[in-house]
Amino acid sequence: MIDFTKINYLKLGNERQKRACQVLSKHHLFEKLKRYSPVLAGTIPIEIDIEGSDLDIICEVDLRFKEDFLNDIIESKLIPHDAEIKVEYPVLDGENCITINFMLEEFPIEIFGQNKPVKEQNAYQHMLAEYRILQEKGENFKRQIIELKRQGIKTEPAFGILLKLENPYEDLLKL
């Protein structure tokens, strides 16, 4: 099993994973976010990304201090000075969150903060479940997921279609 809490595994991955590792390392993203326990989640770590897929970095953030989190990111020069930044405060499953989106070299970046440990966040749990399923089902299944994503279907619904899950967001957490 890959230790997804560190990005070293990306160095041994496909070309896009290697490039993601280079960009994240070059810009010291994980060092700059260290106090928020950052983890790369989503499709790139499990090799089901498509062109335009973003690097999803999930963090544990006490949202009572969301302005401190934003200031830390800005003051650490984590975001290039000329980058367009989009900050949102979604509520997911009744919990306040923060998302910060920007471009870093060729990668769209989304930093997601929630007031819970990253290993307990749905993004991390979904990724682990999807990784196990991909390992079990093999390359043909992986290609089908990627094809559904190319057709515009999000990751969890794509798994839901192929696995005949009624509510993929919830059902994947049960697997």
Side-chain angles (χ1 to χ4, degrees):
M1 181 71 163
I2 294 172
D3 179 0
F4 288 107
T5 63
K6 298 173 177 61
I7 62 169
N8 299 350
Y9 67 93
L10 295 171
K11 293 177 185 174
L12 305 172
N14 64 30
E15 290 308 308
R16 189 153 157 109
Q17 287 175 319
K18 289 176 186 172
R19 180 66 184 137
C21 188
Q22 289 171 348
V23 170
L24 293 171
S25 298
K26 174 182 167 185
H27 293 277
H28 308 285
L29 254 74
F30 283 75
E31 293 90 346
K32 292 175 180 176
L33 290 169
K34 186 177 182 177
R35 68 185 276 209
Y36 302 104
S37 306
V39 170
L40 182 64
T43 60
I44 291 174
I46 58 175
E47 297 184 88
I48 56 169
D49 55 296
I50 58 172
E51 191 169 321
S53 290
D54 60 3
L55 293 171
D56 293 307
I57 302 169
I58 59 174
C59 297
E60 180 178 357
V61 179
D62 184 339
L63 290 168
R64 294 175 300 170
F65 306 105
K66 62 185 171 222
E67 297 309 318
D68 292 343
F69 178 62
L70 271 174
N71 287 336
D72 281 353
I73 288 173
I74 292 165
E75 289 171 11
S76 71
K77 298 187 176 31
L78 187 129
I79 301 172
H81 72 288
D82 59 345
E84 188 175 313
I85 304 168
K86 181 179 173 187
V87 179
E88 294 182 315
Y89 300 96
V91 177
L92 300 174
D93 298 326
E95 295 194 41
N96 292 324
C97 306
I98 184 172
T99 60
I100 303 165
N101 292 275
F102 59 97
M103 289 295 293
L104 189 61
E105 299 194 22
E106 73 269 26
F107 288 101
I109 304 284
E110 178 170 282
I111 298 174
F112 176 87
Q114 192 173 36
N115 194 15
K116 66 167 59 172
V118 289
K119 287 185 174 182
E120 295 175 18
Q121 293 183 24
N122 283 353
Y124 185 78
Q125 293 295 317
H126 283 158
M127 181 179 69
L128 289 183
E130 292 159 1
Y131 176 73
R132 284 192 294 269
I133 292 164
L134 291 167
Q135 296 302 300
E136 182 183 302
K137 300 278 187 188
E139 280 300 313
N140 187 46
F141 184 87
K142 181 191 270 191
R143 281 192 291 276
Q144 290 175 335
I145 291 288
I146 292 168
E147 184 51 40
L148 288 171
K149 291 179 60 56
R150 284 190 179 124
Q151 293 171 25
I153 297 170
K154 295 263 188 207
T155 304
E156 286 79 3
F159 275 84
I161 289 167
L162 295 181
L163 297 172
K164 298 178 179 25
L165 302 176
E166 208 169 291
N167 185 338
Y169 290 97
E170 289 178 21
D171 295 343
L172 280 168
L173 296 176
K174 297 173 188 170
L175 297 176

